[in-house]
């Protein structure tokens, strides 16, 4: 048994040295901490996209159109929101589809009757991109010219007698 004693003492001594080394190395690492800093009053608010129109009621009306007549009207649309908006205009017809598809709409933006119209086609299929309106008061005036052209034949023109159609205009906007 005496032969194992020196080996046991050596192993115990090595274990003690290893434990001391681990304790020494482990003790040399310091953990620093900082005092937290708080930055408050970071505020957020969402913008708005709203619009208004000039006047009230219908833009135009014609109770007894005949071939060759034109009805005109205008409206100003204003972006009253805090965000710029990309605007569109769509029409929705009710009543006689034959009359609505025969009525011809020419639509101008900001200048009446000059330049290239933003829409030039059947009233019954109106869909137009109006561009971007600036925030906080960006406004554009739209000039409508609706005519009743000939169909090209007396029989075609006569088929439109006594018909009526209504058109609703819807301006829409998405943030730009």
């Amino acid at each position: 048994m005496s032969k194992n004693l020196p080996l046991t003492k050596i192993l115990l001594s090595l274990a003690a040295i290893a434990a001391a080394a681990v304790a020494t190395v482990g003790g040399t690492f310091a953990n620093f901490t900082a005092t937290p800093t708080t930055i408050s009053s970071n505020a957020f608010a969402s913008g708005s996209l709203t619009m208004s129109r000039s006047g009230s009621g219908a833009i135009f009306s014609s109770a007894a159109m005949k071939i060759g007549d034109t009805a005109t009207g205008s409206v100003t649309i204003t972006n009253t929101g805090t965000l710029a908006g990309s605007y569109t205009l769509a029409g929705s017809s009710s009543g006689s589809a034959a009359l609505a598809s025969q009525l011809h709409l020419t639509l101008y933006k900001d200048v009446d009757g000059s330049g290239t119209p933003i829409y030039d086609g059947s009233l019954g299929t109106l869909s137009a991109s109006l561009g971007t309106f600036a925030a906080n008061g960006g406004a554009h005036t739209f000039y409508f010219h609706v005519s009743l052209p000939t169909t090209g034949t007396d029989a075609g023109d006569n088929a439109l007698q006594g018909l009526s159609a209504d058109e609703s205009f819807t301006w829409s906007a998405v943030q730009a």
Side-chain angles (χ1 to χ4, degrees):
M1 219 181 213
S2 59
K3 286 184 178 181
N4 286 341
L5 188 56
L7 182 58
T8 303
K9 283 185 178 182
I10 292 173
L11 289 176
L12 287 175
S13 296
L14 286 175
I17 292 171
V22 167
T24 302
V25 170
T28 60
F29 290 109
N31 291 321
F32 294 106
T33 59
T35 303
T37 299
T38 302
I39 301 172
S40 58
S41 300
N42 297 292
F44 301 91
S46 61
S48 64
L49 188 57
T50 56
M51 67 181 95
S52 66
R53 65 161 284 192
S54 62
S56 62
I59 297 171
F60 51 81
S61 181
S62 183
M65 288 185 90
K66 63 183 183 297
I67 300 299
D69 280 354
T70 298
T72 62
S74 66
V75 65
T76 300
I77 302 296
T78 303
N79 181 356
T80 55
T82 59
L83 301 172
S86 178
Y87 280 67
T88 57
L89 173 61
S92 174
S93 299
S94 61
S96 170
L99 180 60
S101 65
Q102 184 62 29
L103 290 169
H104 185 88
L105 171 64
T106 306
L107 179 63
Y108 295 94
K109 179 179 170 185
D110 293 326
V111 180
D112 189 16
S114 66
T116 303
I118 59 172
Y119 181 81
D120 191 15
S122 171
L123 181 66
T125 59
L126 171 61
S127 179
S129 176
L130 306 177
T132 300
F133 288 42
N136 299 313
H140 295 281
T141 300
F142 297 94
Y143 299 93
F144 293 77
H145 299 263
V146 177
S147 61
L148 180 56
T150 181
T151 62
T153 68
D154 288 342
D157 292 348
N158 287 335
L160 299 174
Q161 288 187 65
L163 301 179
S164 64
D166 290 321
E167 186 78 10
S168 294
F169 300 106
T170 302
W171 279 263
S172 300
V174 295
Q175 68 185 32

